[in-house]
Every structure is written in structure tokens, then in C-alpha cells.
Amino acid sequence: MIPLVVPYTQLRPETRAALEGADATFVDVSDRNDSYYWLLQAFWHRQEGVMVVEHDIVVNPDTIASLRACTEDWCGCPYQVGINIGSWLGCTKFSPKLMARHPDVFDQMERTDWDAIDGQLLPYLRQHSERQHIHWPA
């Protein structure tokens, strides 16, 4: 089973409550601006797959089960940021197969701060013909 990780600096109580019983591992990444990068990079290098729900995302009751059951290699659930609705890193699954196809993606990133990861990782995957499978509802 692909592990569910919740990286956080300030974990919202609603986020924790929505993940009750989901066998999630909560990881404090508040010590440095690049801790989130190193967390994801470690999973990527081990190619074990990972599901991420960020500290300010509140998932629907069936979201995690839907991601776990899906056979697609890269999945995400959309959420709202400002006026935009999209799927970034906030609620995402990366399979071991996807990681094996792109083993060095984290080594190629120019910035490792938390706010730069999705802006590098997601375009890289798209540029290498990967397509994200979207799970609704947002």
C-alpha cells in the first residue's frame, strides 16, 4: 500500500479530522524551508510511491480510498487556491512506477524551498508525457 503522508507546518484541525482512520503519517516540515523537498525526495529515491495531503487540505470522506484504489500512476484531487481550482501537490498520489520512470527529477530541481516544488515537479512530469488523473469532487 502506498503510504499517506501529511507534511505540515501549521496543521489545520479540519485536515486531521478528515484523515481520521486513513493511516496517515504526519510529518512536521517547519524546521527548514527545504524540509518538504527532502521528504518527497526520499520517497522518490526509494521509489515506493507516496500520497500527499498537505496541512491545509480537507479531503472528502472517500478521497483517500479513491486514490488508493486507482490504478493510474499520477492522481490528484482538485482544490481551490484563490480564484483557481486545480490539482497541485495538495492532494496527490505518485505511484512507484511513475517514480521509476523519472528517478532523477528531484535531482534536477533548481530550488528546494517548499513553495517551488510543485512549480518544478508537475511541469517536468507533463513535459515528459505524464498525465495526471483527476479525482472528483474537488
Side-chain angles (χ1 to χ4, degrees), residues 75-132:
C75 298
C77 293
Y79 53 95
Q80 188 167 354
V81 175
I83 62 169
N84 299 308
I85 293 179
S87 181
W88 298 278
L89 280 180
C91 184
T92 306
K93 177 190 83 174
F94 300 107
S95 77
K97 291 179 190 176
L98 178 84
M99 293 172 166
R101 287 195 300 270
H102 307 284
D104 63 344
V105 64
F106 274 80
D107 300 330
Q108 296 184 33
M109 289 189 186
E110 294 179 12
R111 288 190 53 225
T112 59
D113 290 349
W114 65 271
D115 62 346
I117 300 169
D118 59 350
Q120 297 174 92
L121 176 60
L122 306 184
Y124 176 94
L125 293 173
R126 290 183 186 109
Q127 290 165 5
H128 288 84
S129 301
E130 300 292 350
R131 296 292 167 249
Q132 187 179 38

Side-chain angles (χ1 to χ4, degrees), residues 51 59-60 62-79 85-87 91-94 131-138:
M51 282 193 299
V59 297
N60 293 307
D62 63 340
T63 297
I64 301 305
S66 173
L67 290 173
R68 283 194 169 131
C70 188
T71 59
E72 297 292 328
D73 290 330
W74 176 23
C75 298
C77 293
Y79 53 95
I85 293 179
S87 181
C91 184
T92 306
K93 177 190 83 174
F94 300 107
R131 296 292 167 249
Q132 187 179 38
H133 179 237
I134 302 297
H135 289 246
W136 295 95

Side-chain angles (χ1 to χ4, degrees), residues 2 5 11-12 24 27 34 46 73 88 90 100 104 110 129 137:
I2 293 177
V5 176
L11 182 61
R12 288 181 55 188
V27 180
D34 62 355
R46 289 190 305 265
D73 290 330
W88 298 278
D104 63 344
E110 294 179 12
S129 301

